[in-house]
Amino acid sequence: MRDLIVFGEDFGGLPSSTQHIVARLSKTRRVIWINSIGLRKPRLNVNDISRAFNKLFGNSKRGYQTINVEPNIEVINIKTIPAPESRVARKLARTLMLQQLGPILEKRCIRQPILWTSLPTAADLAGHLGEHSVVYYCGDDFSSLAGVDHNVVSAHERRLTRKANLILAASKNLYAKFPEEKTAYLPHGVDVDLFSKKAPRANDLPNTGKPIAGFYGSLSKWLDYELINQVCRARSDWEFVFIGPNELTYYPLPQLKNVHYLGPKAHQELPSYSQHWDASLIPFKLNEQIRACNPLKLLEYLAAKTPIIATPFPALEVYSPHVNVAQTAQGFSTELSNVVGQVNHCEDLVNEHSWDSRAQVVNVLLESL
């Protein structure tokens, strides 16, 4: 089996679908994991300048707790220019990265690996690392993803699409973007053992005797904060818990006694929350990004067996028998009353969509290359 050189996000923290799959592939393949090479040019603010400095000097970002690296995965930080736009900048970035990666692959005797990328900005490296084939794992609609240079990244993605031997699309909307003859539909999976095995109750969950509704994930532009505000105000008989990084420049949650923002948590800690609240929430806005998404948290909520209340979006349809769908704040409030005491039993469905089963499918596809 061929080794992998992987371009993904910074390894660790809240693992992406690429991390879940590659960790399982690494049981039979060596993996060189290159920490994020960026999706947008830095802007003139402290955070962006700091990130650009880290990328230029090969440092990884700090944040979530790092998860254990599998024995066959070597994580590497390289110096780069994030999301180069001009032809000169792209060529300079490619030269800079190749000067670092070439000796690494040579020293480890990695010959004709599979180049796997979940970042379109790796397009200019395709064909220059002696790789056997190129795999593009597309988990997001980068043309609508918040916080990236849409035009620049879309141009990189078009080049990568031409060069890729295999494209893996995480949603049906994404699948429709790419050439059918080399694209496979690969929806997200779930770590069944982590989220279904009984976990202790987190100490910082509210302990007031009221039922708890919870959400984990980024506080970003794709959440419906108007709906959240109305529901939290209408249901003072419930506690509302939010977990994850705030990616906005302001605090978006209602400042109420029954609203608790607990900040980011390590991935392994999430079952200690989702198994012990009474309803799991997915209050998305139906924008272009959400139309193309297949959220990891959906299957994780199902594995935790807690009832789910969600706004409608395309990826939800296949799981609709196991989700309470509401389009309005009134609908959310009604569903909160309906789910009290419920348990979401769908073990067979969850096992069918495990990351182990997803990795088996990918392994077959890689071997077919």
Side-chain angles (χ1 to χ4, degrees):
M1 292 187 176
R2 295 188 182 275
D3 298 325
L4 298 174
I5 178 167
V6 178
F7 293 85
E9 75 288 353
D10 284 359
F11 196 94
L14 296 179
S16 67
S17 49
T18 294
Q19 284 193 45
H20 284 295
I21 293 171
V22 168
R24 287 157 177 81
L25 295 178
S26 72
K27 299 182 188 307
T28 54
R29 306 170 189 266
R30 288 185 299 168
V31 176
I32 301 294
W33 181 288
I34 310 301
N35 273 341
S36 177
I37 58 175
L39 286 169
R40 66 176 173 87
K41 293 174 292 185
R43 297 176 174 85
L44 292 177
N45 60 56
V46 173
N47 183 59
D48 278 17
I49 291 172
S50 175
R51 284 175 57 84
F53 182 87
N54 286 336
K55 292 305 171 191
L56 186 58
F57 292 96
N59 301 318
S60 64
K61 66 184 177 183
R62 300 294 182 262
Y64 294 110
Q65 172 183 336
T66 300
I67 62 175
N68 293 330
V69 176
E70 301 290 332
N72 280 347
I73 300 179
E74 183 175 0
V75 179
I76 294 173
N77 301 308
I78 62 172
K79 303 175 181 69
T80 187
I81 301 170
E85 182 174 4
S86 71
R87 181 174 297 181
V88 172
R90 284 171 44 210
K91 186 174 181 180
L92 179 59
R94 183 179 69 195
T95 300
L96 183 62
M97 289 188 283
L98 289 177
Q99 287 176 344
Q100 299 164 81
L101 293 174
I104 291 170
L105 299 180
E106 184 67 27
K107 183 178 180 179
R108 288 148 185 80
C109 297
I110 293 179
R111 304 282 189 268
Q112 293 190 315
I114 294 172
L115 190 162
W116 172 304
T117 181
S118 56
L119 301 177
T121 43
D124 288 330
L125 291 169
H128 295 274
L129 286 166
E131 70 273 9
H132 172 268
S133 47
V134 176
V135 175
Y136 174 34
Y137 181 92
C138 184
D140 287 293
D141 181 0
F142 291 104
S143 65
S144 61
L145 186 65
V148 306
D149 291 324
H150 296 148
N151 292 336
V152 175
V153 172
S154 293
H156 281 279
E157 186 173 65
R158 288 191 294 271
R159 287 192 294 274
L160 183 58
T161 299
R162 291 193 297 269
K163 294 179 177 182
N165 302 96
L166 172 66
I167 300 171
L168 304 173
S171 74
K172 291 183 178 179
N173 282 41
L174 293 173
Y175 177 87
K177 288 177 52 177
F178 300 110
E180 186 176 0
E181 66 274 10
K182 60 179 177 181
T183 304
Y185 172 49
L186 188 79
H188 292 318
V190 60
D191 187 333
V192 177
D193 288 341
L194 176 63
F195 285 92
S196 62
K197 184 178 179 181
K198 190 167 181 59
R201 190 181 193 275
N203 292 330
D204 53 349
L205 273 174
N207 196 17
T208 62
K210 298 179 182 179
I212 302 171
F215 167 88
Y216 62 73
S218 298
L219 302 187
S220 193
K221 294 180 180 179
W222 53 76
L223 294 185
D224 190 335
Y225 296 105
E226 182 178 350
L227 181 148
I228 290 169
N229 183 65
Q230 291 179 31
V231 174
C232 293
R233 290 183 183 280
R235 297 307 304 256
S236 58
D237 55 329
W238 278 72
E239 305 285 2
F240 293 87
V241 169
F242 294 86
I243 293 170
N246 181 8
E247 297 184 348
L248 302 173
T249 57
Y250 60 94
Y251 181 73
L253 300 174
Q255 298 190 18
L256 301 169
K257 290 183 178 179
N258 65 329
V259 175
H260 310 268
Y261 175 54
L262 305 184
K265 302 293 179 182
H267 184 64
Q268 295 91 331
E269 297 176 21
L270 295 177
S272 291
Y273 296 89
S274 60
Q275 289 183 11
H276 296 278
W277 56 43
D278 301 276
S280 297
L281 304 180
I282 309 181
F284 284 162
K285 279 185 175 179
L286 190 58
N287 57 25
E288 289 305 310
Q289 184 178 347
I290 295 303
R291 286 188 176 92
C293 83
N294 187 339
L296 291 168
K297 66 176 62 61
L298 175 56
L299 280 166
E300 293 170 355
Y301 284 169
L302 288 172
K305 300 181 181 179
T306 50
I308 301 170
I309 306 173
T311 51
F313 55 94
L316 200 65
E317 292 175 7
V318 68
Y319 307 103
S320 57
H322 307 283
V323 179
N324 303 279
V325 179
Q327 300 194 40
T328 65
Q330 179 58 50
F332 260 73
S333 295
T334 300
E335 293 298 341
L336 285 172
S337 298
N338 294 339
V339 301
V340 173
Q342 287 186 7
V343 178
N344 212 344
H345 289 294
C346 49
E347 290 86 350
D348 291 342
L349 176 68
V350 169
N351 288 327
E352 178 186 345
H353 293 284
S354 70
W355 283 121
D356 290 336
S357 65
R358 293 286 188 266
Q360 289 174 10
V361 171
V362 172
N363 209 38
V364 171
L365 291 170
L366 294 185
E367 287 303 290
S368 73
L369 295 174

